[in-house]
């Protein structure tokens, strides 16, 4: 399974960015997909997660500003980030929980991360 993230960059406070992460998962079913972030000197935190059927969960600090969505046909998860703040600056990593269709074993995979920098 490979996860390819894109869409990070530099934006001014109040601006928007849209992250995407495409999964290559032949032989696996993809369950939850999500975004985490890690800022320098801080622990990795869950930003948002979306289940296969579309149920979503967000960390309190991004509620009302970020929207997570997914395209199951394309095995892609998106994170629309609006009204960005300097404290949103971090490396954003996509995450996928998958299940082997043959063995039914579950696995967790991570993308390579994309840097989001919000200037004040």
């Amino acid at each position: 399974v490979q996860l390819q993230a894109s869409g990070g960059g530099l934006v001014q406070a109040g601006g928007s960015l849209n992250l995407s992460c495409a999964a290559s998962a032949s032989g696996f079913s993809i369950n939850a997909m999500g975004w985490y972030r890690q800022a320098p000197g801080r622990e990795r935190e869950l930003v948002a997660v979306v289940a296969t059927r579309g149920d979503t969960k967000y960390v309190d600090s991004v509620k009302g500003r970020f929207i997570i969505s997914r395209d199951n046909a394309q095995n892609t998860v998106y994170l629309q980030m609006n009204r960005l703040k300097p404290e949103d600056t971090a490396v954003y990593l996509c995450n996928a929980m998958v299940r082997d269709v043959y063995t039914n074993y579950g696995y967790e995979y991570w993308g390579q991360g994309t840097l989001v920098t919000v200037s004040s």
Side-chain angles (χ1 to χ4, degrees):
V1 176
Q2 292 186 332
L3 302 178
Q4 183 66 44
S6 62
L10 173 64
V11 65
Q12 289 188 331
S16 297
L17 281 175
N18 188 27
L19 307 182
S20 63
C21 178
S24 301
S26 178
F28 294 87
S29 62
I30 301 177
N31 299 325
M33 300 185 79
W35 291 94
Y36 287 71
R37 67 186 177 186
Q38 188 161 19
R42 301 188 67 176
E43 293 188 355
R44 184 175 297 183
E45 69 169 350
L46 173 65
V47 177
V49 61
V50 56
T52 306
R53 296 183 179 181
D55 295 341
T56 59
K57 180 179 179 180
Y58 299 89
V59 67
D60 285 346
S61 60
V62 308
K63 286 180 180 177
R65 300 189 297 122
F66 291 10
I67 301 171
I68 189 170
S69 61
R70 64 188 287 172
D71 182 336
N72 290 331
Q74 299 294 325
N75 289 340
T76 301
V77 62
Y78 304 95
L79 187 68
Q80 177 65 42
M81 305 185 293
N82 303 313
R83 291 185 282 132
L84 282 159
K85 304 176 180 180
E87 51 263 43
D88 294 318
T89 295
V91 174
Y92 284 70
L93 304 105
C94 62
N95 172 278
M97 304 298 291
V98 308
R99 188 166 299 279
D100 188 309
V101 299
Y102 302 105
T103 66
N104 210 36
Y105 288 162
Y107 302 92
E108 181 177 34
Y109 285 92
W110 295 88
Q112 83 281 13
T114 184
L115 178 62
V116 171
T117 303
V118 184
S119 62
S120 58

